Amino acid sequence: MLKGKTIILGVTGCIAAYKAAMLVSRLKDLGADVWVVMTKEGAQLVGPLTFRTLSGNPVVTDLYSQEFQNSPVPHISLSQKADLIVIAPATANMIGKVANGLADDALSTMALSTTAKKLIAPAMNCEMWRNQAVAANVEKIVKLGWETIGPVEGKLACGESDIGRMSEPEVIVARIIELLLPPQDLKGKNILITAGGTREAIDPVRYIANRSSGKMGYAIANEARRRGAAVTLVAANVDLPVPADVRLVKVESAQEMLAAVNGHYSGADAVIMAAAVADFKVKNQRSKIKKTSELTLELEETPDILKSLKKGGKKLVGFALETDDQVANAKRKLEEKNLDLIVANGPDNFGRDQARVSLIDRQGRSTDLPLAEKAEIASRILDALF
Ligand code: CTP
């Protein structure tokens, strides 16, 4: 989910620093590039080596660290490439520095120089938290664009049970996801997507296939998931990294795809058939065909998966692969298969990261999209559908 996002995690001198290790681990699991910046006091509580190992990146403990010999101004280069800075745990001292524009260590310097989204998780003794000076500084940092998370009530290092505990790492991670990811406008939707090209066996060795790479279907799955949908991806012979957090069902033939689609159909709000389904399979499959001077294969039709679906209240989307009369043929398919939307495209798009398509809706309106990344087209398809 957080692939491609750079996060600076500031760790200050509070016993909750050990929980920052869990935070790094969870953020890494989600695909984020995490850079840990520690104050000297933070580094006394948990060793930088722990964070270095978990994050896979050098840990910044001072601005002149040997780790950054090639980058004379790491507080600028790092803080500028970050999508988000989170200080967790944040002591009263660090909150005071950030609130008042003081920059006497690597973390406070980065906090001043970044334009990234800012989250801060205070953790301290309850009386310190209630102190008016701290309260005033917290008010200031909020005005400066920092979002606070916690502290919460619970057992404190001093033994008391009161307010002052750092929010749990999972709660902080959930907030980071909300801050970094776009609005979850498809949350609550269940989307079934097919991708790739089916293979129909000729004999136990050979098969009929097509040139579909699965990139379009995978791009739609990624985008739908990114926008909060629950995604089931039925993939036929695709050799691409599996999108994070989707339910993947691998199939080979049209018949297997039909079974997988039917198996996941009832819970779906929408079905997007981006797969190139073979229209024919070999009749009477047998053992390996021997070399001959001439061979005739008898073919029979495969099931038309999309046409067989009982629409009910679901949204159905098809792709029309046409070499001629793209829009007219696509419109005919939209009606024949009772679809809400059809994406007309040509064979040039096979295997490429970009595509040129037209979207045709139920009213027969056709929109030609310019050549664009498949991720962008995926987004436009979902916009047109919901
Ligand atoms: N489709 C399907 N089952 C099939 C063939 C196609 O579900 N056996 C789906 C495809 O996934 C696509 C849409 O129907 O979303 C249109 O596919 P396309 O190959 O363009 O059209 P066909 O209906 O197969 O017609 P033709 O090959 O004659 O153009």
Side-chain angles (χ1 to χ4, degrees), residues 8 36-40 59-79 97 102-113:
I8 297 175
V36 178
V37 183
M38 304 185 82
T39 60
K40 280 196 182 61
V59 171
V60 186
T61 48
D62 74 71
L63 290 171
Y64 311 104
S65 164
Q66 289 296 306
E67 304 268 24
F68 290 94
Q69 273 170 340
N70 299 331
S71 175
V73 278
H75 61 294
I76 301 297
S77 51
L78 193 52
S79 61
K97 287 194 214 180
L102 302 180
D104 65 352
D105 60 18
L107 181 55
S108 52
T109 310
M110 279 189 205
L112 271 190
S113 59

Side-chain angles (χ1 to χ4, degrees), residues 82-219:
D83 297 288
L84 178 136
I85 180 169
V86 50
I87 306 183
T91 55
N93 186 45
M94 183 53 68
I95 293 170
K97 287 194 214 180
V98 173
N100 293 289
L102 302 180
D104 65 352
D105 60 18
L107 181 55
S108 52
T109 310
M110 279 189 205
L112 271 190
S113 59
T114 189
T115 53
K117 294 192 170 70
K118 303 175 189 77
L119 186 62
I120 195 160
M124 64 194 77
N125 167 270
C126 49
E127 293 310 333
M128 287 174 78
W129 177 248
R130 284 192 271 265
N131 183 287
Q132 283 187 14
V134 174
N137 283 336
V138 171
E139 219 175 280
K140 268 191 184 176
I141 60 170
V142 171
K143 283 202 186 113
L144 291 170
W146 287 81
E147 185 180 306
T148 57
I149 185 162
V152 294
E153 282 190 13
K155 198 151 186 280
L156 304 177
C158 58
E160 284 184 55
S161 216
D162 204 331
I163 190 153
R165 267 173 82 89
M166 186 177 93
S167 291
E168 288 307 310
E170 316 79 87
V171 177
I172 298 175
V173 169
R175 188 61 197 144
I176 289 173
I177 293 170
E178 282 172 13
L179 286 172
L180 287 180
L181 296 183
Q184 299 286 285
D185 59 327
L186 300 183
K187 206 168 181 149
K189 301 263 186 267
N190 232 303
I191 307 185
L192 177 56
I193 298 163
T194 66
T198 64
R199 285 177 188 168
E200 311 302 327
I202 295 172
D203 66 17
V205 181
R206 308 163 177 109
Y207 54 77
I208 299 172
N210 62 64
R211 290 172 47 217
S212 173
S213 63
K215 283 187 179 174
M216 191 67 240
Y218 271 47

Side-chain angles (χ1 to χ4, degrees), residues 260-302:
V261 169
N262 281 337
H264 294 91
Y265 188 65
S266 66
D269 297 298
V271 180
I272 304 177
M273 285 285 303
V277 185
D279 288 328
F280 304 103
K281 64 178 179 177
V282 174
K283 216 173 172 178
N284 307 322
Q285 266 181 56
R286 57 203 128 174
S287 51
K288 190 184 168 204
I289 302 167
K290 285 294 182 196
K291 188 158 46 176
T292 61
S293 56
E294 203 172 285
L295 174 70
T296 304
L297 290 174
E298 202 180 339
L299 303 178
E300 63 181 347
E301 221 184 331
T302 56

Side-chain angles (χ1 to χ4, degrees), residues 194 254 257 272-280 301-309 317-322 329 332-333 336-337 339 342 345:
T194 66
M257 183 169 277
I272 304 177
M273 285 285 303
V277 185
D279 288 328
F280 304 103
E301 221 184 331
T302 56
D304 190 317
I305 303 169
L306 199 45
K307 203 170 177 178
S308 73
L309 298 174
V317 181
F319 274 67
L321 185 90
E322 309 294 344
N329 277 323
R332 182 180 46 77
K333 284 179 191 172
E336 278 174 12
K337 304 194 189 200
L339 308 177
I342 194 154
N345 71 143

